[in-house]
Amino acid sequence: MNDSSSNPEIDTFTASSALVAIAQQHLSDVLRIAFEHSAAEKAVVVFDSRSELAVTLTAAYRHCLPHAHFIDFDHSTPEQVLAEFADLAAKDLVVLVQSTHFRLEAFRIRVELFKRSLKVIEHPHLGRMPGAEVAYYIDSLAYDPSYYRDVGHALKAKIDAAPHGLIDSGAGNQLIFATPFESAKLNIGDYRQMNNTGGQFPLGEVFTEAADLDLVNGRVRIFIFGDTRFRVNRPTTPITLIIEKSQVIDVIDSTPEFDTMLAMIRADEGGVVWVRELGLGMNRAFSFARTVSDIGSYERMCGIHLSLGMKHGIYAKPHIKRGEGKYHIDVFAITESVQFGDDVVYRDGQWVV
């Protein structure tokens, strides 16, 4: 079974024992602290072997979950996989180790598993991260509860109370939020007050949005954007976005790839490029210099990212319905500092709350 339209020959990948050992330690912490998983609960790991990172994580999970049932997605039918899920009870665990993204016809895997009150760890698009990026991704799985929980909740408190905010991109470029913010959401491995346990890994993000999009104005320099293939694209020179009322009205030092992405958004979203999500990445394994190619993983990078496009499924606006729009494309800001109210919460490449 393969989730791509073609059926390419699958290469043979091996796992470094040293990287497996590091991944095992990190995932043991995640399972014990964040998921509170015990041997009394069942676990199912669905995996493929189409990338080095998938093979490495699968080997680590075999050590962490010796009693789990492991299912090779490429050598199973949809019925076999769904039958394994059907045998689980609430609070049992499902782990998805995916070089691409598993498809089971109309079955929306994570959504349906959450409906059954199952815990879910999802590792998608691992095949996008080869070579040195394997070690970077494994480092990103480290779980420090005192950092993620203390800093994450402190950032949420600052955001929720702030009357305004500011991102300083250096060289005189500031993006000013002359508005309070929507109630911040957390992805920090603290599920104690949440309906669902788990989600897409790696962890490490607090995100919000301006309460009034008309009051977001200024300039921001970006050093990476997600391209049309959902991969990290790093231009030679940072791109400056000029923003009025949360819309990109001009671009300085653009590239053909970035222009293509902006044209795509404008063509499908009424000629406008909205700036919506304000994401505060917390994962210290990723930085300005230390990157991985998968934009969904790099989104947790310790710093600021914004979304371009109308789509944002969490927050609704009077003129934009929740989930309306086709695009939500992450761009990553050069960040000298971040302020909520009069409080500086980010400087020198780290959160300082």
Side-chain angles (χ1 to χ4, degrees), residues 162-165 176-182 209-216:
H164 50 78
I176 298 169
F177 297 77
T179 169
F181 297 87
E182 301 282 5
E209 178 178 286
D212 187 342
L213 296 179
D214 284 349
L215 298 179
V216 181

Side-chain angles (χ1 to χ4, degrees), residues 154-321:
L155 286 173
K156 174 176 168 56
K158 293 286 188 183
I159 292 166
D160 291 353
H164 50 78
L166 182 149
I167 299 170
D168 189 330
S169 268
N173 296 282
Q174 294 185 337
L175 184 60
I176 298 169
F177 297 77
T179 169
F181 297 87
E182 301 282 5
S183 178
K185 307 298 181 183
L186 300 170
N187 179 7
I188 56 173
D190 185 358
Y191 305 109
R192 292 170 294 182
Q193 306 299 321
M194 300 179 71
N195 293 328
N196 299 321
T197 299
Q200 181 174 328
F201 274 60
L203 297 171
E205 183 182 5
V206 181
F207 65 90
T208 183
E209 178 178 286
D212 187 342
L213 296 179
D214 284 349
L215 298 179
V216 181
N217 298 278
R219 297 157 62 110
V220 62
R221 294 192 297 162
I222 63 170
F223 66 97
I224 277 175
F225 64 92
D227 67 14
T228 55
R229 300 176 301 137
F230 304 102
R231 292 177 181 265
V232 162
N233 186 304
R234 186 171 199 141
T236 303
T237 301
I239 297 170
T240 301
L241 307 183
I242 300 175
I243 297 165
E244 288 186 5
K245 296 184 176 181
S246 286
Q247 297 178 15
V248 178
I249 64 163
D250 202 1
V251 181
I252 300 171
D253 294 323
S254 190
T255 66
E257 294 86 356
F258 193 70
D259 288 341
T260 296
M261 187 266 291
L262 292 180
M264 180 178 67
I265 297 173
R266 290 189 176 107
D268 292 333
E269 296 191 350
V272 174
V273 177
W274 286 99
V275 178
R276 295 204 59 186
E277 179 182 16
L278 172 57
L280 287 65
M282 294 181 60
N283 200 304
R284 295 175 292 195
F286 305 143
S287 65
F288 179 89
R290 207 170 193 250
T291 68
V292 290
S293 297
D294 176 52
I295 200 71
S297 298
Y298 187 66
E299 182 181 356
R300 316 304 190 206
M301 181 274 297
C302 191
I304 289 291
H305 63 272
L306 306 164
S307 73
L308 302 185
M310 185 183 294
K311 186 176 181 180
H312 197 182
I314 303 298
Y315 304 114
K317 288 293 188 285
H319 54 296
I320 305 176
K321 297 178 182 177

Side-chain angles (χ1 to χ4, degrees), residues 3 27 44-62 65 70-74 85 94-102 109 120-127 137 141 201:
D3 66 340
L27 293 172
V44 170
V45 179
V46 186
F47 69 95
D48 68 54
S49 301
R50 295 183 231 153
S51 66
E52 180 185 354
L53 190 44
V55 170
T56 302
L57 293 187
T58 301
Y61 275 115
R62 289 190 187 278
L65 299 168
F70 284 74
I71 306 171
D72 187 334
F73 187 81
D74 288 317
F85 295 159
V94 174
V95 179
L96 305 170
V97 181
Q98 310 158 91
S99 294
T100 52
H101 190 76
F102 295 155
I109 297 180
V120 181
I121 299 176
E122 186 174 14
H123 300 279
H125 306 301
L126 299 175
Y137 183 91
L141 301 177
F201 274 60

Side-chain angles (χ1 to χ4, degrees), residues 12-83:
T12 301
F13 293 93
T14 58
S16 156
S17 59
L19 290 178
V20 170
I22 297 170
Q24 177 187 347
Q25 180 60 59
H26 294 338
L27 293 172
S28 293
D29 291 341
V30 167
L31 291 166
R32 177 175 53 87
I33 303 169
F35 280 74
E36 300 180 344
H37 179 75
S38 72
E41 298 159 332
K42 292 182 179 179
V44 170
V45 179
V46 186
F47 69 95
D48 68 54
S49 301
R50 295 183 231 153
S51 66
E52 180 185 354
L53 190 44
V55 170
T56 302
L57 293 187
T58 301
Y61 275 115
R62 289 190 187 278
H63 290 287
C64 296
L65 299 168
H67 303 296
H69 193 180
F70 284 74
I71 306 171
D72 187 334
F73 187 81
D74 288 317
H75 294 89
S76 306
T77 66
E79 292 76 18
Q80 289 171 324
V81 176
L82 293 174

